[in-house]
């Protein structure tokens, strides 16, 4: 009765048990977001309700240990939780763990106690215990006294929390994967679990009709914006090449609809008058082309509404094409000294030496000032993640991929993620409220394909961290 992830054959339950690992609980992913427009969106389904889901709960679940031809159910107890997954044991097996099975609470045929009675379904014990218990009706009544179960409307809440304000044909502005300093207009093609497959309006189609350039991101990603955003804040946008014919693609045969600000996460307003970031200020920033590195960086341009263009010192191409837009509240920009204070190796501009670099000297040499600490969003949060926890996380360098990952370090709001089976050069720093991290079982729940670890994990393979920047971001 072991469930496999439909697409990859990867089995979270076996993996966690084999390696003795913990999964990050669903309640860690609690980032909630109210939309002006119809929906309350949470980062992951049911994160608010999950605090009540605990070991010891009893449920009614499909009985697979029977020879009966009709669907029958039996009571089971939650023995362990791992994200959306639960290890269940049928009642009557007592301390015998041989028939324990993992199931995804979000999609399995699992219900609150009493559901069978209300829905005229049969409760039948597994064949192995049938013979041990003669009067199983009174056994059941006795065992269920004081039992807690999942909420009556569990599956309804699950469906509700998976609503999404985007659908095929909605137009957005999104970062251009081939030139990260500009945005480009794109059309939503597919929506899975709040993740959007976006097709650039002038992506072009290959000889067999395949899209030549697409981009995946979560609807709460800081990389997507409503139509007209770029012009409004002063960000560069690529003009759509009207000569490219996309009309034979299904997403372009839809009635187009421009996205509006109400469909996006509302960012905290920042006050830009009197002491905001200014051009030339120095800071530390996650390298958008190498997300495991926190680097010496500069503010290049201040846009409207709290947005900044930032570049990484010493590796710039020089034409501004590698400047990257971060909002002032972004977790990815940090005050000078942040790495030192938190025991993180700061990535220095080429030619500088870890043994001799100091910010004071660097600022003097470059004649620049450090961006004031108070401008950064480094508020402490109680997030609940701890090193070693497993989760499902987007490889932001190839954001179509949701992969098996481990929390490697926790520093304030930041989590260093390691992708199981991959070299540490793939590691990425993300915010604890990132819309690109999900509990174990999320892919199976939403129908997204999970990338299993490669190689014999989880022991770390020796890595040779390359100093170079990757050529492409996505
Ligand atoms: N094509 C890439 C895929 C890397 C995906 C890693 N995900 C953690 C490569 O093989 O380099």
């Amino acid at each position: 009765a072991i469930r496999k992830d439909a697409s990859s054959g990867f089995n979270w339950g076996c993996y966690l048990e084999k390696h003795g690992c913990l999964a990050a609980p669903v309640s860690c992913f609690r980032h909630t977001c109210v939309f002006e427009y119809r929906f309350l969106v949470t980062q992951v389904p049911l994160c608010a309700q999950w605090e009540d889901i605990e070991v010891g709960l009893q449920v009614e679940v499909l009985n697979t240990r029977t020879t009966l031809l009709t669907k029958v159910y039996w009571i089971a107890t939650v023995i362990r939780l791992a994200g959306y997954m639960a290890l269940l044991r049928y009642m009557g097996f007592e301390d015998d763990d041989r028939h324990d099975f993992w199931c995804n609470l979000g999609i399995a045929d699992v219900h609150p106690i009493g559901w069978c009675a209300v829905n005229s379904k049969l409760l039948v014990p597994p064949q192995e215990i049938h013979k041990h218990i003669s009067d199983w009706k009174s056994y059941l009544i006795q065992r269920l006294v004081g039992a807690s179960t999942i909420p009556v409307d569990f599956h309804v809440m699950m469906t509700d929390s998976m609503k999404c304000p985007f659908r095929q044909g909605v137009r957005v502005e999104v970062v251009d994967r081939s030139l990260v300093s500009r945005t480009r207009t794109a059309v939503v093609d597919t929506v899975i679990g709040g993740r959007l497959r976006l097709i650039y309006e002038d992506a072009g189609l290959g000889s067999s009709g395949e899209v030549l350039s697409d981009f995946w991101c979560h609807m709460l990603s800081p990389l997507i914006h409503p139509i007209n955003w770029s012009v409004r804040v002063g960000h560069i946008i690529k003009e759509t090449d009207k000569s490219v014919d996309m009309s034979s693609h299904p997403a372009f045969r839809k009635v187009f609809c421009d996205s509006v600000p109400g469909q996006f996460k509302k960012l905290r307003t920042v006050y830009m008058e009197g002491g905001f970031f200014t051009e030339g200020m120095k800071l530390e920033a996650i390298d958008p082309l190498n997300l495991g590195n926190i680097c010496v960086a500069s503010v290049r341009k201040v846009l409207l509404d709290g947005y900044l263009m930032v570049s990484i010192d010493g590796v710039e191409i020089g034409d501004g094409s590698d400047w990257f837009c971060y909002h002032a509240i972004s977790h990815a920009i940090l005050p000078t000294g942040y790495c030192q204070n938190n025991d993180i190796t700061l990535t220095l501009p080429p030619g500088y030496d870890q043994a001799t670099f100091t910010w004071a000297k660097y600022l003097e040499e470059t004649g620049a000032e450090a961006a004031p600490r108070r401008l950064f969003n480094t508020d402490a949060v109680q997030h609940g993640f701890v090193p070693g926890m497993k989760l499902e996380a987007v490889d932001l360098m190839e954001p179509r991929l949701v992969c098996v990952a481990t929390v490697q370090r926790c520093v304030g709001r930041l989590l260093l993620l390691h992708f199981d089976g991959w070299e540490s050069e793939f590691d990425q720093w993300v915010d604890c409220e990132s819309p690109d991290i999900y509990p174990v079982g999320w892919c199976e729940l939403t129908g997204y394909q999970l990338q299993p670890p490669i190689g014999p994990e989880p022991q770390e393979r020796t890595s040779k961290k390359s100093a170079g920047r990757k050529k492409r971001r996505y």
Side-chain angles (χ1 to χ4, degrees):
I2 288 171
R3 277 195 94 98
K4 284 198 169 181
D5 180 271
S7 45
S8 67
F10 175 73
N11 183 288
W12 262 119
C14 291
Y15 188 71
L16 294 169
E17 278 176 6
K18 183 158 157 228
H19 302 295
C21 299
L22 272 186
V26 176
S27 50
C28 282
F29 302 78
R30 70 188 121 206
H31 174 46
T32 306
C33 179
V34 184
F35 281 75
E36 294 164 26
Y37 171 83
R38 290 192 293 174
F39 297 100
L40 169 83
V41 170
T42 52
Q43 178 188 356
V44 304
L46 281 193
C47 60
Q49 290 81 5
W50 212 266
E51 260 145 51
D52 302 326
I53 307 296
E54 51 191 25
V55 168
L57 288 187
Q58 320 251 33
V59 291
E60 292 179 357
V61 62
L62 189 68
N63 178 3
T64 55
R65 309 196 71 83
T66 169
T67 46
L68 296 176
L69 293 174
T70 49
K71 254 184 163 189
V72 294
Y73 294 79
W74 187 239
I75 316 280
T77 307
V78 175
I79 302 290
R80 265 187 78 183
L81 281 168
Y84 289 111
M85 313 289 293
L87 183 66
L88 298 182
R89 184 175 306 165
Y90 288 120
M91 186 177 280
F93 283 129
E94 311 294 338
D95 292 329
D96 182 356
D97 62 6
R98 282 175 302 166
H99 309 293
D100 290 359
F101 59 101
W102 284 96
C103 74
N104 191 316
L105 288 182
I107 46 176
D109 206 348
V110 23
H111 308 277
I113 299 293
W115 179 85
C116 284
V118 172
N119 293 279
S120 315
K121 306 281 185 204
L122 285 177
L123 277 174
V124 176
Q127 59 210 25
E128 293 91 339
I129 61 163
H130 212 197
K131 45 186 184 293
H132 297 317
I133 301 156
S134 47
D135 182 7
W136 60 264
K137 268 188 188 155
S138 58
Y139 168 85
L140 208 64
I141 290 165
Q142 187 197 331
R143 290 292 306 266
L144 286 175
V145 172
S148 3
T149 189
I150 57 175
V152 182
D153 51 354
F154 186 75
H155 291 290
V156 177
M157 289 193 305
M158 184 62 91
T159 314
D160 277 356
S161 67
M162 284 168 72
K163 280 187 186 152
C164 171
F166 291 91
R167 55 155 181 83
Q168 194 180 54
V170 174
R171 298 172 74 231
V172 299
E173 293 182 9
V174 63
V175 68
D176 182 352
R177 61 183 285 168
S178 57
L179 198 63
V180 295
S181 60
R182 68 181 184 189
T183 50
R184 203 166 156 182
T185 309
V187 172
V188 174
D189 173 48
T190 315
V191 184
I192 307 178
R195 295 193 68 76
L196 314 175
R197 181 192 186 214
L198 302 169
I199 303 176
Y200 295 115
E201 275 191 328
D202 53 2
L205 298 174
S207 51
S208 46
E210 78 278 14
V211 172
L212 297 179
S213 193
D214 67 349
F215 185 79
W216 278 90
C217 74
H218 192 273
M219 61 178 165
L220 300 179
S221 164
L223 303 176
I224 51 164
H225 307 279
I227 292 295
N228 286 328
W229 174 84
S230 302
V231 169
R232 191 165 51 77
V233 304
H235 196 283
I236 296 170
I237 182 160
K238 177 186 190 292
E239 203 182 316
T240 299
D241 180 351
K242 296 265 166 41
S243 68
V244 180
D245 181 19
M246 299 291 289
S247 61
S248 63
H249 190 279
F252 290 81
R253 273 188 243 126
K254 282 275 154 175
V255 181
F256 288 144
C257 165
D258 286 356
S259 55
V260 294
Q263 273 166 291
F264 295 82
K265 183 178 160 180
K266 210 166 150 38
L267 291 180
R268 195 203 303 161
T269 314
V270 295
Y271 295 95
M272 299 177 63
E273 296 83 32
F276 194 60
F277 289 95
T278 54
E279 209 174 296
M281 277 180 174
K282 299 288 182 195
L283 65 162
E284 297 179 7
I286 297 178
D287 182 350
L289 300 175
N290 221 328
L291 297 157
N293 290 349
I294 302 182
C295 307
V296 172
S298 304
V299 175
R300 287 310 189 146
K301 202 173 166 198
V302 179
L303 313 180
L304 293 184
D305 285 1
Y307 289 96
L308 316 168
M309 299 304 290
V310 171
S311 71
I312 305 300
D313 281 23
V315 292
E316 284 183 76
I317 297 168
D319 58 1
S321 63
D322 53 358
W323 295 2
F324 199 71
C325 182
Y326 282 129
H327 193 268
I329 65 157
S330 166
H331 69 276
I333 55 170
L334 302 155
T336 56
Y338 187 88
C339 281
Q340 196 188 356
N341 295 338
N342 291 287
D343 197 25
I344 298 169
T345 308
L346 178 65
T347 303
L348 304 175
Y352 285 83
D353 181 1
Q354 292 292 347
T356 53
F357 177 90
T358 67
W359 264 113
K361 230 172 16 170
Y362 186 73
L363 291 172
E364 204 184 294
E365 258 171 55
T366 52
E369 66 178 303
R373 184 166 298 265
R374 64 178 165 77
L375 296 176
F376 294 89
N377 175 21
T378 46
D379 313 348
V381 280
Q382 297 290 317
H383 53 59
F385 290 103
V386 296
M389 281 179 169
K390 300 284 177 193
L391 71 173
E392 300 181 0
V394 176
D395 176 349
L396 290 158
M397 302 299 282
E398 241 170 281
R400 181 179 53 85
L401 306 178
V402 178
C403 313
V404 169
T406 308
V407 176
Q408 192 89 340
R409 281 191 72 184
C410 301
V411 178
R413 303 182 58 94
L414 294 180
L415 312 176
L416 181 64
L417 299 182
H418 174 70
F419 293 103
D420 289 24
W422 294 87
E423 314 289 326
S424 59
E425 67 183 87
F426 288 94
D427 290 3
Q428 302 184 347
W429 287 103
V430 298
D431 189 68
C432 59
E433 295 188 347
S434 161
D436 296 305
I437 55 175
Y438 313 106
V440 161
W442 180 89
C443 278
E444 193 188 23
L445 175 66
T446 58
Y448 205 97
Q449 190 177 343
L450 177 66
Q451 305 296 317
I454 52 152
E457 260 292 270
Q459 79 272 6
E460 175 87 352
R461 298 189 302 173
T462 46
S463 87
K464 24 175 184 20
K465 191 153 183 128
S466 67
R469 294 177 97 199
K470 300 196 175 100
K471 268 185 238 65
R472 57 170 165 66
R473 176 179 162 80
Y474 308 109

